[in-house]
Amino acid sequence: MSKIMFMILNDHVEYLNNEEYDHRRWYQELGLDPNLFDSVIRGFIVDGKIIFFKGFNHNYDEEVIRAAMKYAPSIRSFLNQDSLEVWCGILSQGGYDNRWEPIYHIKNDEINSYVERPKLEEKKEIPVVEKPTEPMIDFKNDVDNKDFIRVAIIYSIITIILTIFLKSVLIGMKVYSLSNFTDFLLLIIQIGLLVGTLIGYMRKLPYAKYLGVAAGIALCLTFHIFDIILGVCYALFNIDASIYLIAFQGVKILIGKLKKK
């Protein structure tokens, strides 16, 4: 089932139904201050539930609970769905193909009693930035895209294996030495960043892409042609994996046709 995103901006609920967007990209394209994003209460309307959260880890606190009780009636009215359940916070189940589940359920009598209060706490308005600063690197990947996460995990595992293999070859050629502290430290950093990126993608963490770019740069620091190629390809994948995804889909289609034969 498709989900509707919403954000509470300047005491008003904004809606967006676009599967290609996440909240951060939507927020940035509205021209708002990126430093205030994690304090914005936002959420999803999906599977018969309105889910409110804020922060990097989709968590909730008293402010989120108060907002849920305040805005849930207007969201129900806007969508003409009075049966929508109201929840706060999202708990990740782990893995790239598992569903995320809400944490805290707010009952209707709690919502109704809160709506009857004469006045709610005033919210601080979020200033609009006239000219939002452009990020140095325009990351195109979406961690909510299952196809991307699947390819990212596979590609990260392959990159780890190739890194270990290439280092073994270089050690055998005596071009690289684990007895050299600099070489040893660089290898630990490379493997650590690659494993961190892999775990990040498995858990659908937004910062995984930054670790991936850092891992690609670290691979280039070996200053060997194969490591440089591997590092550049991996860094570019973490910035924009569209070419890789197209190739992945092409391979899936080809395998499907071969199986039919």
Side-chain angles (χ1 to χ4, degrees):
M1 178 181 177
S2 62
K3 60 178 179 288
I4 300 174
M5 295 189 296
F6 67 88
M7 285 194 295
I8 300 173
L9 302 173
N10 297 330
D11 205 31
H12 182 73
V13 183
E14 301 288 346
Y15 301 87
L16 180 67
N17 188 358
N18 190 328
E19 294 291 337
E20 296 180 359
Y21 274 52
D22 58 19
H23 285 96
R24 186 177 296 275
R25 180 180 174 187
W26 178 23
Y27 182 87
Q28 290 175 342
E29 293 200 1
L30 289 175
L32 301 174
D33 187 350
N35 296 316
L36 299 177
F37 175 75
D38 285 337
S39 65
V40 173
I41 297 175
R42 56 199 189 275
F44 296 114
I45 304 162
V46 63
D47 294 336
K49 299 180 181 69
I50 310 172
I51 308 173
F52 293 78
F53 54 82
K54 71 175 183 180
F56 179 76
N57 292 321
H58 305 85
N59 54 5
Y60 72 98
D61 55 14
E62 286 299 321
E63 182 186 18
V64 174
I65 294 174
R66 288 196 300 270
M69 291 191 289
K70 176 180 178 179
Y71 293 101
S74 64
I75 294 175
R76 285 171 170 173
S77 176
F78 178 80
L79 297 175
N80 194 24
Q81 296 184 46
D82 292 334
S83 62
L84 288 171
E85 297 179 0
V86 181
W87 293 78
C88 294
I90 294 179
L91 177 66
S92 173
Q93 299 295 316
Y96 64 84
D97 202 23
N98 292 322
R99 298 175 62 83
W100 288 16
E101 297 296 336
I103 302 172
Y104 181 79
H105 182 222
I106 301 178
K107 298 179 181 178
N108 283 332
D109 55 354
E110 295 177 271
I111 297 172
N112 294 333
S113 64
Y114 190 84
V115 171
E116 291 170 0
R117 295 179 184 179
K119 188 176 181 180
L120 298 172
E121 179 183 349
E122 293 292 332
K123 285 186 174 290
K124 183 179 179 181
E125 290 191 356
I126 300 173
V128 176
V129 180
E130 293 292 334
K131 294 181 180 180
T133 55
E134 294 292 331
M136 292 181 63
I137 301 177
D138 186 12
F139 289 92
K140 302 292 187 181
N141 300 328
D142 180 7
V143 294
D144 290 325
N145 185 310
K146 292 183 178 180
D147 286 335
F148 166 69
I149 291 296
R150 187 178 294 111
V151 175
I153 290 173
I154 294 172
Y155 193 22
S156 295
I157 292 173
I158 292 173
T159 303
I160 292 172
I161 294 172
L162 286 176
T163 298
I164 295 173
F165 173 76
L166 288 173
K167 292 301 183 297
S168 300
V169 172
L170 293 176
I171 291 171
M173 297 170 61
K174 297 183 179 181
V175 176
Y176 199 88
S177 174
L178 293 181
S179 60
N180 183 302
F181 178 75
T182 302
D183 288 349
F184 178 75
L185 179 61
L186 181 58
L187 177 60
I188 294 299
I189 293 173
Q190 291 171 348
I191 297 299
L193 288 171
L194 287 170
V195 172
T197 305
L198 173 62
I199 294 173
Y201 281 132
M202 292 177 68
R203 296 182 178 179
K204 294 184 177 179
L205 300 177
Y207 66 77
K209 57 190 177 186
Y210 302 112
L211 289 179
V213 173
I217 294 172
L219 287 170
C220 293
L221 295 179
T222 304
F223 298 113
H224 188 276
I225 183 61
F226 293 113
D227 269 329
I228 292 174
I229 293 173
L230 185 64
V232 170
C233 290
Y234 193 66
L236 291 176
F237 170 83
N238 284 275
I239 295 172
D240 185 359
S242 57
I243 297 176
Y244 300 82
L245 289 174
I246 292 172
F248 178 72
Q249 292 294 341
V251 171
K252 285 178 62 177
I253 294 172
L254 180 60
I255 292 175
K257 289 181 178 180
L258 291 176
K259 285 182 177 180
K260 289 181 180 180
K261 292 181 179 181

